């Protein structure tokens, strides 16, 4: 194993309907239906486990067949799964409609259970032990605002680096009170705009805008356009590889976070780490799954040959 990482956040069911032809809003569209375990934190955790890391996952889960399906997927991925199980509640779900080119039309997130992951649960003995034993902490914005702040505070008290996944424009604002304690925040432009309240004229403006609100390190994706990454006054642009074979974009951002963190934990500088992240994301969109079922360190190295060098902004 290449290190221990603790992941806290979303682990639920993803349901995705894919439209077969041209999208007709307000009408019945022929298509196919597919479901699998997912969630921002869980997708990243499975990617990290496939890349050789010792991963522990903590998340709320219902006492239902969907919760059992998520647990089985965690075991299959080699994750040390430590859920809080609420026997009388249902496991959260994410339902999305996807166009035939793989892009998202609309999604509905039924995530009520996550509000029961309150800060006091971090005081449970085995949870404290998990924090103490890990090398890196990753969480997502599915969790309540106060819990996110408590995770960051616990990580900082232990001297552990911490990263976060934004999840959505509506949820990323939960991280506002603890932004300064997050070492790396992974988000897209819509989520970055939700934090800052505005957009720069071009990608190079994101480090300054986000820095003004206390973000010390981040990766901002922009679809197939150049992504921007910055940390400690160093900013970079990277053109992700453009795939002609997009099966589904679900999970791309989560895999980008996992790929980037895997390289950072192995000692690579940021400019090389985001290349690993872009390679992992490219592999994900080629799969109909939120985590590419063939992902491995060797496959990631092969994809790296298609990822250009990052451009240094400052």
């Amino acid at each position: 194993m290449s290190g221990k990482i603790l992941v806290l956040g979303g682990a639920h069911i993803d349901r995705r309907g894919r439209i077969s032809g041209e999208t007709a809003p307000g009408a019945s569209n022929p298509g196919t239906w597919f479901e699998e375990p997912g969630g921002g934190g869980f997708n990243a955790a499975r990617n990290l486990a496939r890349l050789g890391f010792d991963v522990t996952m903590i998340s709320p889960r219902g006492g239902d067949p969907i919760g059992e399906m998520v647990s089985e997927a965690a075991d299959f991925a080699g994750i040390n799964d430590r859920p809080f199980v609420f026997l009388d509640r249902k496991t959260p779900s994410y339902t999305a409609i996807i166009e035939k080119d793989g892009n998202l039309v609309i999604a509905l997130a039924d995530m009520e259970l996550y509000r029961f992951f309150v800060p006091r649960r971090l005081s449970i003995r085995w949870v404290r032990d998990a924090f103490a034993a890990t090398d890196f902490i990753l969480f997502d914005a599915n969790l309540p605002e106060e819990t996110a702040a408590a995770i960051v505070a616990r990580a900082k008290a232990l001297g552990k680096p911490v990263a976060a996944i934004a999840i959505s424009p509506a949820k990323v604002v939960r991280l506002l009170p603890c932004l300064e304690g997050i070492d790396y925040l992974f988000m897209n432009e819509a989520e970055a705009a939700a934090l800052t309240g505005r957009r720069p004229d071009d990608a190079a403006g994101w480090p300054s805008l986000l820095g003004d609100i206390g973000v010390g390190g981040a990766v901002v994706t922009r679809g197939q356009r150049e992504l921007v990454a910055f940390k400690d006054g160093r900013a970079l642009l990277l053109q992700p590889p453009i795939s002609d074979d997009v099966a589904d974009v679900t999970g791309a951002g989560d895999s980008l976070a996992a790929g980037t963190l895997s390289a950072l934990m192995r000692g690579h500088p940021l400019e090389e780490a985001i290349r690993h992240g872009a390679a992992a994301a490219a592999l994900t969109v080629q799969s109909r799954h939120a985590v590419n079922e063939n992902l491995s360190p060797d496959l990631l190295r092969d994809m790296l040959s298609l990822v250009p060098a990052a451009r240094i902004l400052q």
Side-chain angles (χ1 to χ4, degrees):
M1 291 293 181
S2 297
K4 294 183 177 181
I5 184 162
L6 173 64
V7 182
L8 307 101
H12 48 253
I13 194 72
D14 271 353
R15 301 185 179 99
R16 301 196 292 282
R18 187 171 184 129
I19 297 170
S20 300
E22 295 301 320
T23 304
S28 176
N29 288 261
T32 56
W33 194 250
F34 175 71
E35 66 179 30
E36 66 174 341
F42 191 49
N43 291 339
R46 287 184 290 166
N47 277 293
L48 286 160
R50 286 183 177 275
L51 292 175
F53 288 83
D54 183 349
V55 182
T56 296
M57 177 88 205
I58 300 176
S59 67
R61 212 160 298 161
D64 54 11
I66 290 175
E68 294 174 5
M69 185 188 302
V70 174
S71 295
E72 289 172 3
D75 290 342
F76 181 78
I79 293 170
N80 177 23
D81 188 36
R82 303 296 303 272
F84 296 121
V85 178
F86 296 83
L87 294 176
D88 59 340
R89 297 188 178 273
K90 63 179 181 179
T91 300
S93 66
Y94 170 83
T95 304
I97 301 299
I98 308 292
E99 291 185 302
K100 69 174 184 177
D101 63 3
N103 287 308
L104 177 68
V105 177
I106 195 168
L108 187 149
D110 181 0
M111 306 288 176
E112 177 69 11
L113 186 63
Y114 290 129
R115 70 184 180 88
F116 291 97
F117 193 155
V118 293
R120 64 181 174 79
R121 292 190 175 273
L122 301 179
S123 299
I124 297 172
R125 175 65 180 270
W126 66 263
V127 178
R128 297 201 315 269
D129 290 345
F131 270 81
T134 197
D135 300 311
F136 207 110
I137 294 161
L138 172 65
F139 72 98
D140 70 34
N142 280 308
L143 302 180
E145 178 179 302
E146 60 274 17
T147 305
I151 288 170
V152 173
R154 175 69 57 85
K156 295 296 106 175
L158 294 170
K160 310 282 187 179
V162 60
I165 298 173
I167 299 297
S168 72
K171 292 179 179 179
V172 69
V173 294
R174 298 174 182 173
L175 306 182
L176 281 167
C178 60
L179 284 177
E180 293 185 1
I182 297 173
D183 295 287
Y184 294 95
L185 176 56
F186 295 89
M187 56 192 151
N188 60 33
E189 276 199 308
E191 292 153 355
L195 283 179
T196 61
R198 53 199 180 108
R199 291 175 183 257
D201 294 332
D202 57 52
W206 278 121
S208 177
L209 277 183
L210 290 164
D212 287 346
I213 61 169
V215 178
V219 178
V220 181
T221 59
R222 305 168 64 242
Q224 293 188 336
R225 297 173 295 159
E226 284 184 314
L227 63 79
V228 60
F230 65 94
K231 177 67 174 170
D232 297 332
R234 183 173 177 80
L236 318 157
L237 289 174
L238 177 74
Q239 174 60 57
I242 297 175
S243 175
D244 296 325
D245 187 24
V246 175
D248 194 329
V249 299
T250 304
D254 308 325
S255 59
L256 183 138
T260 302
L261 293 177
S262 72
L264 289 171
M265 290 182 68
R266 289 177 172 135
H268 291 287
L270 181 60
E271 57 265 36
E272 185 61 20
I274 60 171
R275 292 186 66 243
H276 282 72
L283 289 168
T284 297
V285 302
Q286 293 174 7
S287 169
R288 69 191 293 251
H289 299 282
V291 175
N292 188 309
E293 61 274 29
N294 297 315
L295 180 65
S296 67
D298 288 341
L299 186 61
L300 187 65
R301 279 193 292 271
D302 290 343
M303 180 58 76
L304 274 173
S305 65
L306 302 179
V307 183
R311 294 195 293 122
I312 309 298
L313 284 174
Q314 58 189 53

